[in-house]
Amino acid sequence: MKKLATTLAMILALGTLLAACSGGNNAEGGKDKPTELVISTWGFAEDAMKKNLYEPFEKQYNVKIVTEIGNNTDRLNKIRQGSSKVDLIYLSDYYALQGIEEGLFEKIDRKNIPNIDNLYDIAKAPLGQDYGPAHTVAQLGLVYNADEVKEPVESWEDLWKPAFQNKLALPNITITTGPMLIDMAAKHGGSMDMATDAAFKALQEINPGVVKYYSKSADLVNMFAQGEVVIAPMQDTFYGSVSEAVPSAQFVTPKEGAYALLNTVNVVKGSKNKELAEKFINWHLSQEVQQANALDRVDSPTNKLVTLTEEQATGMTYGADVVENLKTLDLRKVNQEMADWIDRWNREIE
């Protein structure tokens, strides 16, 4: 009997030990502990992003998503400094190229991201086949107050008309749309390749009549609402806010073409969750997620399978006829010239 009792005790002890070991590796309900995926992003429309993107992915793949929030510059600097554990980073294409040239991102395996095949061509590989696609697209066009503007607005050249002196705002050189202003100005000055001298000669010409070089879209919306400006280059993303404040505001795609604003997603160098990160990118590019975000007016879709009614598409960059005709800049040239442009801007413009 004593021998039997000893044997039973050993069996019970072994069972307890195995249960304890199993419990240490499992989450509640017996499932494996969720894998943590750290995403660096802007943080806008967080409720919609959780509903449409994060939470369904967490449930499908047993993942816990953690976000680091901030603007392009601050978040990219964290990656440079190695002060974060980010797996994925969302950046505008201009900032993403800086990260690529500095070797901060992993090369992606496109076989793990088959939804790339369903994107508009402009979004599939904006910075090369080895790096992340664009999950959304916007356009920089012209917004004007139709009640205050008597002549038709149809061209970037219209910004230089005397009628708009002391009535216009322009983007600051340091924001995403700043290099687009350089391109506009260079073309006004007769150069097709963003020649610095031509651009700054044209900027000096227009400078006395500029009310403000804006760095925040909210500032531009307020200037329209208060009647300080009647025309400005603006992303279509923010046109809705202007039209609410100024019902007579109109958005125009200039005859030369609007500029594309592409937001990309990349895997950070050294991520321990590269394949999972690629699954997340594929998830974000799916028709279902892109459709949901478009309907919630979070992002304009880059997945060409998304279908929107005319009403749903209002204020969105939507459809092949729009998206595939957007103008893009030579971002490598922008990176090479930016330090010189900022220096001249500080000395000659502001």
Side-chain angles (χ1 to χ4, degrees):
M1 291 293 292
K2 184 181 291 185
K3 186 176 181 180
L4 177 61
T6 302
T7 302
L8 288 172
M10 290 177 64
I11 291 171
L12 287 171
L14 180 61
T16 302
L17 177 62
L18 290 173
C21 290
S22 176
N25 292 323
N26 289 355
E28 292 181 6
K31 292 183 179 180
D32 291 341
K33 183 178 179 181
T35 302
E36 186 174 274
L37 190 69
V38 182
I39 298 173
S40 175
T41 187
W42 296 277
F44 58 83
E46 286 185 273
D47 289 342
M49 292 292 278
K50 286 178 181 177
K51 172 175 67 77
N52 299 334
L53 178 60
Y54 300 153
E55 291 176 355
F57 186 82
E58 288 177 324
K59 183 177 180 181
Q60 179 70 22
Y61 291 101
N62 192 29
V63 170
K64 173 62 177 176
I65 289 175
V66 176
T67 57
E68 289 193 1
I69 305 303
N71 61 33
N72 284 292
T73 301
D74 291 344
R75 292 186 295 106
L76 184 58
N77 281 338
K78 280 189 176 182
I79 302 300
R80 287 177 172 131
Q81 296 160 4
S83 58
S84 68
K85 296 179 180 179
V86 169
D87 296 296
L88 276 166
I89 186 165
Y90 285 85
L91 294 168
S92 69
D93 51 3
Y94 167 62
Y95 290 94
L97 180 60
Q98 293 179 37
I100 289 169
E101 292 186 338
E102 294 170 32
L104 301 178
F105 304 149
E106 297 280 0
K107 293 182 179 181
I108 60 171
D109 185 346
R110 291 186 168 242
K111 294 194 298 293
N112 293 333
I113 315 175
N115 281 322
I116 286 178
D117 293 340
N118 296 326
L119 304 186
Y120 295 113
D121 288 344
I122 196 174
K124 289 179 178 177
L127 301 173
Q129 291 289 326
D130 287 333
Y131 298 99
H135 67 92
T136 187
V137 60
Q139 61 177 312
L140 183 75
L142 286 169
V143 172
Y144 70 98
N145 184 342
D147 284 349
E148 301 293 334
V149 175
K150 306 307 178 187
E151 301 178 18
V153 173
E154 57 185 13
S155 168
W156 295 116
E157 288 290 318
D158 292 339
L159 293 170
W160 276 264
K161 285 183 176 179
F164 296 137
Q165 293 292 289
N166 301 312
K167 297 179 181 179
L168 81 156
L170 296 175
N172 194 289
I173 185 63
T174 57
I175 66 174
T176 304
T177 53
M180 298 170 190
L181 176 62
I182 296 291
D183 189 60
M184 292 173 216
K187 286 182 170 61
H188 178 81
S191 169
M192 301 304 291
D193 60 355
M194 289 190 288
T196 300
D197 288 341
F200 277 86
K201 181 178 179 181
L203 289 172
Q204 288 168 350
E205 177 187 334
I206 202 174
N207 187 47
V210 177
V211 175
K212 183 173 183 175
Y213 293 98
Y214 66 89
S215 296
K216 297 179 180 178
S217 59
D219 292 341
L220 185 54
V221 172
N222 288 335
M223 285 188 285
F224 269 103
Q226 294 169 12
E228 296 178 72
V229 301
V230 300
I231 189 170
M234 176 182 274
Q235 292 185 45
D236 60 348
T237 312
F238 307 115
Y239 167 63
S241 298
V242 174
S243 62
E244 285 181 12
V246 183
S248 57
Q250 299 290 322
F251 183 90
V252 173
T253 298
K255 63 183 182 181
E256 303 93 338
Y259 289 92
L261 293 130
L262 295 165
N263 286 340
T264 65
V265 55
N266 276 281
V267 181
V268 175
K269 196 82 169 180
S271 168
K272 296 178 181 178
N273 299 305
K274 181 176 183 290
E275 187 172 339
L276 181 63
E278 290 167 344
K279 286 182 179 179
F280 182 85
I281 295 173
N282 192 59
W283 185 273
H284 195 167
L285 299 180
S286 69
Q287 180 183 358
E288 294 78 10
V289 171
Q290 295 254 309
Q291 183 96 28
N293 276 347
L295 293 176
D296 283 342
R297 311 199 72 75
V298 175
D299 284 326
S300 294
T302 53
N303 187 315
K304 60 189 177 184
L305 301 181
V306 171
T307 57
L308 301 174
T309 66
E310 184 176 347
E311 181 180 359
Q312 290 167 343
T314 301
M316 308 284 281
T317 302
Y318 170 73
D321 56 333
V322 174
V323 176
E324 298 293 12
N325 287 306
L326 295 174
K327 294 158 57 73
T328 58
L329 300 182
D330 180 349
L331 293 179
R332 286 174 173 79
K333 179 178 177 62
V334 171
N335 273 349
Q336 292 168 1
E337 300 288 347
M338 182 56 80
D340 182 44
W341 288 346
I342 292 175
D343 179 63
R344 287 193 63 167
W345 181 278
N346 291 336
R347 288 187 288 108
E348 300 176 22
I349 306 302
E350 287 198 299

